[in-house]
Amino acid sequence: MSKKQALIGFILAFVIAFTACKDDVANTGESVLTPEDEVVVLADTFAFRSAVDSCRAIISQADSFLLGEIESDYGVLRASILTQLACPEGYHYPEGFSRESVDSICLFMYYQSWVGDANSPLAINAYMMDRNTFRYSGTYPTNINISDYCSRDLSILKNHRIVVASEKLDSIKNNDGTYSPMLRMKLNDDFTQYFAAIQTFESQERFNEQFKGLLIETSFGSSTILNISDIALGVFYHFTYSKNGKDTTVNDMKAFYANSEVRTVNHLFYEDKKQLVEEMQQDSDTYNYIVAPAGVYTRLEFPMEVIADTIISSLIYDSTWNATHDSVTILSKRPYVNKAQVRVEVTNVFSGATADITRDDWLQPAAYMLLIKENSMERFFKNKELPSDTCALLSALQQGADSLGNTTYFYSYDLSDFLTNQLRKESGDSNLSMMLVPVTVDINSSSVVTSVRQQQTVSATQIHSAKNGMSLEIVYSGF
């Protein structure tokens, strides 16, 4: 036998010997692990229920406000605005100013967008709030009783203003060449004289006693809602001063703003809301709905007792007889939920592929949807909390594709931390009730969510119901 043949024989013998031992080496770790030390990873899919429900009203805390009326298959929405004006604390009109110095007072409203028919007219009217005003620290629902604050006896417009959203008659040109739509409405002489008499501005509280605020609403039109971004009252006046022995007359303007220093409440009314919700509930086997700012939500009800029993029983590794208590003690691994995915499919996104926009295409899905524990909703929004793994989960509207390459839209939630927390609590609840709530979100330059509010702009989201395709896919493990 040559040296080369001997070397080849040695290598073959080594490979055969190593292969024979390989399985034993690979299983060495398993052979020394006891059942209680073994890591178990499993997966299950759970069905759950969904249903349409509604709340009476939401908390008014928007940074823009709806004005007008719109009718769609989701009901008739009427929106009005009640607002205080900020006091320019410490301000004084020029020397020699009197009530007669005021030439006119105008109400200005700016809007960046609208919902509905851009060419349909609506009539705007305004009144003084003559019965009551707001507390700055108070919270106010969108269904407040307007008559508690305004009698509507004191109309302040010189003439009713007819508005067509697309005309932009009073628009102002920005530095970038674009136009900001604006409404300018002259106020009547009675109001002008009344407001001109207010000439001391020592505090907001004192100013609110003299001027409680404004009610702005529409009296005609059912096809357009304006999204009002800014409101101001402009007092135009003239004054005369002497310079070098000569009298000089100056024309000037003082603005009073509805800003963050005061309270503005959007009054929202959905006609026949109860009937609307009942009709949606009849369709619950196929679709569910979330409509803003109607306060129409969808409830997802997860079978927590079934989920917990399934996971815990899958993680049992031993049992012992407890003679003292005459019972069996079940030994189970500590559960961890690694992934718990719920995907909410949206069905009513308007693609923009056609110019024929129906009235339902005006109402598009919400850009952000919050999935929140039902019993935490009131506290969450009242205290201005942020999403957390134990209370509320946030999702933006996302775009994907199905198996055929068709575009799909959905919200996605991973409840893994949420369910891990729930499994380790002795809540005793057989079901976990959570609500899908459309929200407005503020995000800073670091992509961190800084505020979440119930959405007060108009949207309608149609989703597949739980019976029509939704499920909860859970990957869990035990240690």
Side-chain angles (χ1 to χ4, degrees):
M1 179 185 295
S2 67
K3 290 183 178 180
K4 183 175 181 181
Q5 289 173 319
L7 179 61
I8 292 172
F10 173 77
I11 292 173
L12 287 172
F14 178 80
V15 170
I16 292 170
F18 178 79
T19 303
C21 297
K22 184 176 180 181
D23 287 341
D24 290 339
V25 172
N27 293 325
T28 299
E30 290 183 13
S31 66
V32 299
L33 282 177
T34 63
E36 62 184 294
D37 293 327
E38 221 178 312
V39 177
V40 177
V41 180
L42 299 167
D44 274 296
T45 299
F46 298 89
F48 59 89
R49 294 190 296 244
S50 66
V52 174
D53 204 346
S54 67
C55 62
R56 291 191 347 183
I58 62 178
I59 297 173
S60 183
Q61 51 182 359
D63 51 9
S64 61
F65 302 91
L66 304 181
L67 177 66
E69 180 178 323
I70 188 171
E71 180 180 1
S72 75
D73 287 346
Y74 297 101
V76 177
L77 168 64
R78 297 189 186 94
S80 305
I81 301 170
L82 295 98
T83 184
Q84 296 172 331
L85 297 178
C87 169
E89 293 189 19
Y91 175 77
H92 295 279
Y93 284 113
E95 185 178 351
F97 178 91
S98 67
R99 182 185 298 190
E100 288 69 30
S101 301
V102 175
D103 301 305
S104 63
I105 298 180
C106 291
L107 175 62
F108 297 91
M109 293 193 297
Y110 299 82
Y111 62 99
Q112 298 300 324
S113 61
W114 59 85
V115 177
D117 188 345
N119 299 308
S120 180
L122 63 158
I124 296 177
N125 205 351
Y127 305 86
M128 283 179 59
M129 287 167 51
D130 55 344
R131 289 182 172 170
N132 208 343
T133 191
F134 304 123
R135 291 180 295 106
Y136 183 75
S137 58
T139 57
Y140 298 92
T142 53
N143 67 340
I144 62 169
N145 188 350
I146 291 179
S147 62
D148 289 342
Y149 298 87
C150 180
S151 66
R152 291 187 175 89
D153 291 336
L154 303 174
S155 176
I156 62 173
L157 292 189
K158 196 170 187 69
N159 298 294
H160 286 190
R161 177 63 194 272
I162 304 299
V163 175
V164 176
S166 62
E167 286 185 353
K168 307 178 186 179
L169 292 179
D170 299 317
S171 300
I172 55 176
K173 190 173 184 179
N174 302 314
N175 292 332
D176 60 2
T178 61
Y179 286 87
S180 293
M182 179 186 72
L183 304 176
R184 173 174 173 154
M185 293 163 282
K186 193 172 183 179
L187 306 186
N188 62 32
D189 294 338
D190 289 342
F191 177 82
T192 298
Q193 291 300 305
Y194 176 86
F195 198 84
I198 305 173
Q199 297 182 29
T200 55
F201 307 103
E202 62 268 26
S203 70
Q204 184 67 49
E205 292 75 15
R206 175 60 180 148
F207 182 73
N208 288 345
E209 292 173 4
Q210 301 175 86
F211 180 72
K212 295 178 173 60
L214 296 172
L215 164 65
I216 306 167
E217 62 183 9
T218 58
S219 56
F220 172 82
S222 60
S223 300
T224 310
I225 281 188
L226 303 177
N227 191 12
I228 304 294
S229 57
D230 295 283
I231 301 172
L233 208 65
V235 179
F236 295 85
Y237 63 91
H238 65 273
F239 64 96
T240 301
Y241 70 96
S242 180
K243 182 177 182 180
N244 299 328
K246 296 180 62 176
D247 289 340
T248 302
T249 299
V250 176
N251 295 299
D252 206 348
M253 189 270 284
K254 179 62 185 174
F256 296 78
Y257 297 97
N259 57 24
S260 60
E261 298 174 9
V262 295
R263 292 308 307 266
T264 302
V265 176
N266 215 167
H267 178 267
L268 305 172
F269 174 75
Y270 262 87
E271 188 177 293
D272 299 326
K273 179 178 173 180
K274 182 180 178 181
Q275 179 182 342
L276 168 68
V277 172
E278 290 174 352
E279 290 174 355
M280 290 180 175
Q281 290 170 339
Q282 292 174 6
D283 196 24
S284 59
D285 283 354
T286 306
Y287 298 110
N288 296 143
Y289 302 87
I290 306 105
V291 183
V296 174
Y297 304 139
T298 289
R299 175 187 293 105
L300 305 184
E301 200 166 275
F302 300 101
M304 281 306 301
E305 187 174 9
V306 173
I307 292 172
D309 289 348
T310 301
I311 291 177
I312 298 302
S313 63
S314 300
L315 299 178
I316 294 174
Y317 62 86
D318 202 356
S319 63
T320 60
W321 174 256
N322 189 326
T324 303
H325 296 90
D326 192 25
S327 63
V328 175
T329 299
I330 301 298
L331 301 178
S332 181
K333 297 178 184 297
R334 185 171 173 80
Y336 291 86
V337 178
N338 306 100
K339 182 180 179 181
Q341 200 73 31
V342 173
R343 179 161 158 155
V344 179
E345 299 284 349
V346 179
T347 65
N348 68 318
V349 177
F350 175 61
S351 65
T354 175
D356 297 327
I357 302 176
T358 71
R359 68 182 189 179
D360 292 326
D361 293 327
W362 302 337
L363 303 179
Q364 285 297 284
Y368 290 93
M369 192 72 70
L370 193 71
L371 181 61
I372 182 171
K373 289 174 68 174
E374 184 174 8
N375 59 13
S376 300
M377 272 182 60
E378 183 176 353
R379 184 206 74 224
F380 181 92
F381 292 113
K382 187 174 182 179
N383 296 340
K384 301 179 181 179
E385 297 179 23
L386 294 176
S388 67
D389 292 334
T390 58
C391 175
L393 303 170
L394 181 67
S395 175
L397 181 64
Q398 301 174 51
Q399 181 177 327
D402 61 17
S403 58
L404 299 176
N406 300 314
T407 300
T408 60
Y409 296 89
F410 60 92
Y411 305 102
S412 182
Y413 305 94
D414 185 358
L415 283 73
S416 53
D417 291 339
F418 190 93
L419 290 181
T420 297
N421 181 272
Q422 290 291 119
L423 286 171
R424 295 176 184 174
K425 289 169 54 180
E426 295 293 333
S427 65
D429 296 331
S430 59
N431 293 301
L432 171 65
S433 182
M434 303 188 75
M435 305 294 279
L436 288 168
V437 180
V439 291
T440 298
V441 175
D442 291 327
I443 301 176
N444 65 18
S445 57
S446 301
S447 299
V448 175
V449 174
T450 57
S451 74
V452 175
R453 305 180 301 281
Q454 287 166 294
Q455 183 180 317
Q456 283 184 228
T457 51
V458 180
S459 73
T461 309
Q462 183 188 65
I463 63 174
H464 284 302
S465 70
K467 287 186 177 181
N468 192 26
M470 276 200 290
S471 61
L472 175 60
E473 301 172 2
I474 298 180
V475 177
Y476 56 95
S477 56
F479 295 87

